[in-house]
Amino acid sequence: MTLRLALRATAAAAAALLALAGCSTGSEEPEAEATAAAGADGFPVTVATAFGDVTVEEEPQRVVALGWSDAETALALGVQPVGATDWLGFGGEGVGPWAEGLYEEAPEILPTTDLDPEAVAALQPDLILDTRQDGDQARYDALSQIAPVVGPPEGVIEYGTTWQQQVDLVAQALGRTEEGEQLTEETEAAIAEAREAHPGFEGTEVAVGAYFAGQYGAYVRGDSRVDLMEQLGFTNSPEVEALADGSSFYVNVARERLDVLDADLSVVFPIGDVVEELRGDELLQGIGSAQAGRLVVLEDPALVNAFSSGSALGIRYAVEEAVPLFAQALA
C-alpha cells in the first residue's frame, strides 16, 4: 500500500470509529439516555500544557488548528479543522501532498505569526490547537478568550514540540487517543524499518543545514529534522551541537565557517527557489563531505517541506523519499 493510500485508510478508519460510536445498537433505549451516553464518551478531557491544564468539556465540533502541523495531525486522526494555518506556504488547503485529499471542505486559512483573534473568533471554534509555536503567553491569553487552547507541552524550546508530543496532545484534546496511538505506532514502525534496512546509518555523524536569503544555518537537537535523523540512527554533529545555546532549534553559520557543515553525511536544503545557488556555491561544494560525495542537497520542494513539516504524515513521506538519498551518498 502506498503512503497516500495508507493515510486515506487511516483517516477513513478514524471516521468509521467515530461513526460506529454514534450508531444505534438496535435497542429501544430512550433518546435522552442515548444522548447522555454519547456525551459521556471520553469527555471531559484534561490536557497538560506549558500554559497549565486545559479542559475540553465536550467532543469538539469546530476545531481551529494554528500550530505548525496541527492541521495535518488533526486530519490524520479523522478530524477536519474549520480553520488552519499554512506555515510552509503550500497554498490551497495549507497541507502537503502527503495529506492531499483528506479535507472534504477546505479550511479558512489564517495567518501564522500575525495572530488575528477576531478572525479566529469568527470561525466560532470550540477548540484551538496551537501545540507547536513560540510559546508566547500573550498569544495564548488572547486565544483562550475564544475557546480552550491546547498549547505546547512543558519544557520544549520554541517550535520544539516533537511529532510524538503533537500527536499525543491533539489526540487527547480530540478524544482520539486510540487513533493517536495507532498513528504513532505506524510512524515509528516506518522509521524503525528504515533504520533496520540501513545499519550503516548507526552512529554516523550528520550535519543538517539550510540556506535562506544568503545565510546558512544548521539545526540542533530539539529540531524535528535532527530528531528524525537521530531516530534513523545518525548522530548530530558535535561541532554543530557546540554552537547551540538551548534556546533555539537553529544556529546561524557564517560563510567562512561552512566547515561546520562538514560531517560523515551533510544534508542541506534551500528555503525558497535558490537551489542553483547551493549547487554553484564553491565554499559549500568545497567542504570535505561534498568533495567525497557525501553532501545531499534536497532539491524537491515537496521533500524539503516533508522533511521540515515535523508532522507524522510528513515524516513518513520524508522517510520514503529521503532515506534512499542518504543511503546512496554513504554507499
Side-chain angles (χ1 to χ4, degrees):
M1 179 182 290
T2 66
L3 174 59
R4 183 173 175 180
L5 290 176
L7 299 182
R8 289 178 182 273
T10 299
L17 284 171
L18 178 61
L20 182 61
C23 288
S24 168
T25 60
S27 67
E28 297 300 319
E29 181 183 37
E31 183 177 348
E33 292 182 21
T35 301
D41 188 18
F43 287 89
V45 297
T46 299
V47 184
T49 79
F51 299 107
D53 290 349
V54 176
T55 298
V56 183
E57 297 289 349
E58 299 178 342
E59 182 176 3
Q61 302 301 312
R62 295 185 61 80
V63 176
V64 170
L66 298 180
W68 188 304
S69 296
D70 279 336
E72 288 186 17
T73 304
L75 286 169
L77 298 174
V79 172
Q80 303 207 358
V82 296
T85 48
D86 184 7
W87 283 92
L88 292 173
F90 294 113
E93 296 174 338
V95 294
W98 46 89
E100 192 176 291
L102 295 183
Y103 272 117
E104 294 176 4
E105 183 176 341
E108 181 77 19
I109 299 298
L110 299 164
T112 53
T113 54
D114 296 326
L115 179 67
D116 183 356
E118 290 186 5
V120 176
L123 295 172
Q124 300 180 311
D126 48 20
L127 176 67
I128 297 172
L129 299 174
D130 205 19
T131 72
R132 184 180 292 136
Q133 39 103 330
D134 62 3
D136 181 58
Q137 182 72 50
R139 175 185 173 100
Y140 173 80
D141 291 342
L143 291 173
S144 61
Q145 299 300 309
I146 302 169
V149 181
V150 177
E154 201 168 0
V156 299
I157 60 176
E158 293 183 0
Y159 302 99
T161 304
T162 68
W163 69 263
Q164 296 98 324
Q165 290 171 322
Q166 185 174 52
V167 169
D168 183 52
L169 289 166
V170 174
Q172 286 185 63
L174 297 177
R176 303 293 182 96
T177 53
E178 289 187 8
E179 292 90 334
E181 290 170 0
Q182 179 182 352
L183 179 61
T184 297
E185 289 173 3
E186 290 173 352
T187 306
E188 288 180 339
I191 297 171
E193 183 178 347
R195 181 172 183 161
E196 184 177 352
H198 299 90
F201 290 176
E202 203 69 35
T204 297
E205 289 185 8
V206 65
V208 181
Y211 178 76
F212 174 69
Q215 173 67 56
Y216 283 95
Y219 295 95
V220 299
R221 290 192 182 104
D223 173 74
S224 61
R225 306 159 189 82
V226 171
D227 289 347
L228 174 59
M229 297 303 287
E230 296 206 323
Q231 288 160 13
L232 287 168
F234 294 98
T235 298
N236 204 41
S237 166
E239 284 192 63
V240 172
E241 287 297 322
L243 301 176
D245 63 7
S247 65
S248 176
F249 59 89
Y250 185 83
V251 294
N252 289 322
V253 176
R255 287 186 56 80
E256 60 270 19
R257 286 301 321 277
L258 284 186
D259 58 290
V260 169
L261 296 177
D262 184 20
D264 296 333
L265 176 69
S266 301
V267 180
V268 180
F269 59 88
I271 299 176
D273 188 21
V274 291
V275 69
E276 291 298 335
E277 295 182 31
L278 291 179
R279 290 190 189 129
D281 190 331
E282 294 182 359
L283 288 177
L284 177 65
Q285 299 300 329
I287 66 174
S289 55
Q291 292 293 301
R294 292 181 278 101
L295 167 64
V296 174
V297 176
L298 300 179
E299 301 182 4
D300 176 35
L303 178 52
V304 171
N305 284 332
F307 194 53
S308 301
S309 69
S311 74
L313 302 189
I315 282 172
R316 285 161 63 178
Y317 183 99
V319 167
E320 284 189 2
E321 301 296 327
V323 164
L325 301 179
F326 303 154
Q328 182 179 3
L330 292 173

